[in-house]
Amino acid sequence: MDVTGQAFEDMQEQNGRLLQQLREKDDANFKLMSERIKANQIHKLLREEKDELGEQVLGLKSQVDAQLLTVQKLEEKERALQGSLGGVEKELTLRSQALELNKRKAVEAAQLAEDLKVQLEHVQTRLREIQPCLAESRAAREKESFNLKRAQEDISRLRRKLEKQRKVEVYADADEILQEEIKEYKARLTCPCCNTRKKDAVLTKCFHVFCFECVRGRYEARQRKCPKCNAAFGAHDFHRIYIS
């Protein structure tokens, strides 16, 4: 019994050690399970991060592709601009040459303008010297024209007198002579412009007589010259006359 008891105690101690080891193994298994769960969670998070990073990589790749395309377009545009720049440089060179040519022409034109200005001043001086002579000549021509008109009127008056004398010699009857004279005086009293109204206005510049309506009509129509001698008249150069 002592041996059996001792064996039983040894068995119990061994069972206790086995239980202790079992508990330690359970704790270890539990810890491993916890670590495995944590590892699975971490693996899941890492997988999600990987997916997100993959999506970001795809987005970045598409952005890089777009940027590469943009860069390619910019390079093409740069080449086109370089070509345009070459053309612009050539055009600028041509324009510079044209500008130099225009500058030379401008200098020549300025010199020509100075010469023309000197000639113009000389001509103006000559013109100022000649103007008094021209004015005197114009006044003399106007006076001669006026005198010529007067002489023509005198000739017309003398012709009428001559015709009247001839009529006196032709017509023996005094009544016929009187009728002719009456017609002549009526013609003298009738306005030569309209041949209908009587003369009742005089131009004080040349003293020719017309009807007031014709004179005023010519003044309002800005035809302000005498119908007989072309003498100019103004607003205060014609007045009514009263023959009766």
Side-chain angles (χ1 to χ4, degrees):
M1 288 186 63
D2 292 335
V3 174
T4 303
Q6 187 65 36
F8 182 75
E9 288 177 0
D10 292 336
M11 184 65 69
Q12 284 183 345
E13 288 177 2
Q14 188 177 0
N15 289 333
R17 286 193 299 272
L18 291 173
L19 289 173
Q20 183 66 31
Q21 290 177 1
L22 183 61
R23 283 195 294 269
E24 290 176 357
K25 288 183 180 180
D26 289 337
D27 292 336
N29 288 329
F30 181 74
K31 187 181 290 186
L32 289 173
M33 289 295 294
S34 299
E35 290 177 357
R36 184 177 179 181
I37 291 170
K38 290 180 180 179
N40 289 331
Q41 292 177 353
I42 293 170
H43 181 69
K44 184 178 180 181
L45 292 174
L46 290 174
R47 184 178 294 173
E48 291 177 355
E49 289 180 358
K50 182 181 178 182
D51 295 336
E52 291 178 358
L53 290 173
E55 292 177 357
Q56 291 179 1
V57 167
L58 291 175
L60 292 172
K61 187 176 181 181
S62 61
Q63 290 180 2
V64 168
D65 293 336
Q67 289 178 357
L68 289 174
L69 183 61
T70 304
V71 169
Q72 186 178 0
K73 290 182 179 179
L74 289 174
E75 289 176 352
E76 293 177 356
K77 189 174 182 181
E78 183 180 1
R79 287 193 293 270
L81 288 174
Q82 287 178 353
S84 300
L85 182 61
V88 169
E89 289 177 351
K90 291 180 182 178
E91 186 177 358
L92 182 61
T93 304
L94 294 175
R95 287 181 181 271
S96 299
Q97 295 174 359
L99 181 61
E100 292 295 330
L101 180 61
N102 289 329
K103 283 183 179 179
R104 290 195 295 271
K105 288 184 179 179
V107 172
E108 295 175 357
Q111 186 64 36
L112 181 61
E114 290 293 332
D115 297 339
L116 291 175
K117 185 177 180 181
V118 173
Q119 293 179 5
L120 178 62
E121 291 177 355
H122 180 69
V123 171
Q124 287 178 348
T125 304
R126 187 71 181 275
L127 182 62
R128 284 194 293 270
E129 293 175 356
I130 295 174
Q131 277 180 350
C133 298
L134 291 175
E136 292 177 0
S137 176
R138 189 182 296 110
R141 285 200 303 271
E142 290 178 355
K143 186 175 181 180
E144 289 177 359
S145 177
F146 182 76
N147 292 331
L148 179 62
K149 293 289 184 180
R150 287 295 185 184
Q152 289 176 353
E153 291 177 0
D154 293 338
I155 291 171
S156 299
R157 186 167 55 256
L158 290 174
R159 283 179 180 174
R160 287 195 297 270
K161 286 183 179 181
L162 180 60
E163 289 176 359
K164 180 180 177 181
Q165 187 65 32
R166 286 178 180 176
K167 288 178 182 179
V168 170
E169 293 176 357
V170 171
Y171 297 105
D173 192 356
D175 292 335
E176 293 181 358
I177 295 173
L178 289 175
Q179 291 294 330
E180 291 295 326
E181 289 180 352
I182 289 169
K183 289 181 181 180
E184 182 181 352
Y185 288 130
K186 283 184 177 181
R188 288 186 181 183
L189 292 174
T190 304
C191 175
C193 291
C194 61
N195 292 321
T196 55
R197 291 182 290 270
K198 301 299 180 182
K199 294 179 178 179
D200 58 355
V202 63
L203 296 176
T204 57
K205 287 293 185 71
C206 59
F207 296 101
H208 285 120
V209 184
F210 307 94
C211 69
F212 188 78
E213 285 78 5
C214 288
V215 176
R216 185 174 62 184
R218 290 180 71 87
Y219 177 79
E220 291 176 352
R222 305 185 70 84
Q223 297 176 356
R224 299 169 184 175
K225 288 186 178 181
C226 176
K228 280 188 172 292
C229 63
N230 285 330
F233 65 91
H236 303 288
D237 296 331
F238 60 93
H239 303 280
R240 285 186 179 275
I241 57 175
Y242 303 95
I243 297 175
S244 60

